[in-house]
Amino acid sequence: MRTASAALATLVLATALGACGTDDGEDAPAQAASSAAPTSVPEVLDVGRPVALAEDGAGRLLVAHLVEEGPRTSVAAAWRLQDADGETVAEGPGRQVRNEGSIPGVWPLDDGFLVDLGGNGRYDLLDADGELTPVEEVDAPRALGPGDVAVEGARAVYSPTEGTIAPAPPLPGGAVAVELVIDADGGAWALPESPDGATLLHLPAGQTTWQESTLDLPTGGYPIGLAVTDDLVVVPVAVTRRAGDELDALLVRPRGDEDAPWRRLEAPQGLGSSWFSATVLGLPDGRLLVFDDVDVARVVDPEAGTWEELALPAAEGGHGWLLALAGERLYALDWVGGAAYVSRDLGGEWTDLAG
């Protein structure tokens, strides 16, 4: 099955508090990478580009910055934590790991953040005061609960109740999950790796047996993401055509009804050919925000089946947007040009975070 992690949301909303380091994976000071590059936290925050942000349940905003010498070559990283009023609470350096495949991560919690500063599976809690505390990892899977967070590409789960990270619940037959989402009740949803990609698994909260359902995929179609909102389970599906990978449709089903048939929300033509992955976010009014990792964003009404274009800020080069939703606020990062914006009216007006 061809599928990519939607967490560029869980990629986002998932991504980054640091970058490269030593060849053996050990931490190293930023200044070891380049004597000419800015290395101090104030310098990196001043000249580095914002690469990731998230807002916790108390309205605190965490923004990460990188200074780079070239493509996939980061030489310094730093982060800034602001309170709900926009006042700086704390700042600190990122952790460097010289491995371009290591994508640092930040996950918003009700109070604070779970962070992986080097993208190498070393987790910390960042609290309201900007203090970091290492997270203990345990060896055995455990029952899931509300507020749990899937990390490590669907291989592990952080429990805010236990304060530890444990392996994700094993899938039937030893299958490997390429997508794992934990809903608000503590139920798990997984797309297992399979030749046809046509299977969705669900582990209801408090149960130990996975339930299986079949996805009705078009000829040549494959899932490119998985999302679970308050009301719906959503699977974006792409097809490969001569021009590239195109979004074909969203498959949607009520979250609380295992027997309900999947509905197909057909994507309009002309959405580009860069749909190697798709991120779906549930909006407060029940609509869905759907976007790729370049410059396409649409607001989908699952009842009416309409796809409305979301107005994005003007970006240098016209591409590279990463979106994150926090309540009524929508954040946009230009991961190519480095700009960062916030909108409080779903793209009607954008405000530069630097201004």
Side-chain angles (χ1 to χ4, degrees):
M1 176 178 63
R2 298 184 57 189
T3 172
S5 174
L8 184 63
T10 7
L11 131 33
V12 124
L13 278 191
T15 39
L17 283 185
C20 54
T22 63
D23 290 326
D24 59 6
E26 295 298 323
D27 296 344
Q31 57 265 33
S34 172
S35 59
T39 57
S40 71
V41 169
E43 287 177 321
V44 175
L45 292 173
D46 182 45
V47 304
R49 67 185 183 95
V51 294
L53 56 76
E55 183 180 313
D56 74 356
R60 303 180 190 94
L61 181 65
L62 180 63
V63 185
H65 296 245
L66 285 181
V67 172
E68 297 161 313
E69 288 186 326
R72 299 177 180 172
T73 306
S74 305
V75 298
W79 54 266
R80 173 181 288 135
L81 177 65
Q82 296 177 326
D83 63 20
D85 297 322
E87 298 296 324
T88 297
V89 174
E91 298 173 347
R95 179 181 296 141
Q96 294 184 301
V97 177
R98 184 171 293 161
N99 181 350
E100 67 182 38
S102 295
I103 301 175
V106 50
W107 295 264
L109 305 174
D110 288 341
D111 186 17
F113 303 85
L114 174 69
V115 297
D116 176 5
L117 296 179
N120 60 340
R122 291 178 52 186
Y123 297 93
D124 296 276
L125 290 180
L126 183 71
D127 67 16
D129 298 318
E131 296 294 329
L132 290 165
T133 304
V135 177
E136 179 187 359
E137 297 188 38
V138 297
D139 295 331
R142 57 165 173 258
L144 302 178
D148 284 3
V149 179
V151 296
E152 281 192 27
R155 293 187 298 273
V157 176
Y158 169 73
S159 167
T161 302
E162 301 289 337
T164 58
I165 288 177
L171 301 188
V176 176
V178 293
E179 297 280 358
L180 177 67
V181 176
I182 302 173
D183 63 35
D185 299 324
W189 304 79
L191 285 174
E193 191 175 60
S194 63
D196 58 10
T199 300
L200 177 73
L201 297 174
H202 177 212
L203 182 64
Q207 298 188 23
T208 58
T209 301
W210 289 89
Q211 301 174 359
E212 181 177 322
S213 61
T214 300
L215 301 173
D216 185 14
L217 300 178
T219 301
Y222 48 91
I224 55 172
L226 172 64
V228 182
T229 71
D230 290 342
D231 302 313
L232 297 173
V233 181
V234 186
V235 179
V237 174
V239 294
T240 300
R241 297 193 172 98
R242 184 177 303 176
D245 298 83
E246 300 180 7
L247 184 64
D248 179 71
L250 301 181
L251 301 182
V252 300
R253 194 184 74 185
R255 179 163 75 93
D257 189 351
E258 297 283 349
D259 298 324
W262 291 94
R263 289 192 296 120
R264 175 183 164 87
L265 304 178
E266 186 171 352
Q269 297 295 313
L271 294 187
S273 57
S274 62
W275 292 91
F276 307 111
S277 66
T279 300
V280 179
L281 304 176
L283 299 174
D285 61 6
R287 294 183 297 167
L288 305 171
L289 175 58
V290 183
F291 59 94
D292 67 355
D293 59 355
V294 183
D295 61 358
V296 178
R298 294 293 186 273
V299 176
V300 181
D301 187 325
E303 297 301 323
T306 56
W307 294 64
E308 178 184 352
E309 182 175 1
L310 177 76
L312 294 169
E316 295 182 14
H319 61 286
W321 289 110
L322 173 65
L323 304 178
L325 186 68
E328 300 288 341
R329 291 172 298 281
L330 180 65
Y331 294 97
L333 288 180
D334 175 6
W335 57 264
V336 174
Y341 296 88
V342 62
S343 174
R344 291 172 174 80
D345 56 3
L346 202 59
E349 181 178 355
W350 291 96
T351 302
D352 191 338
L353 287 177

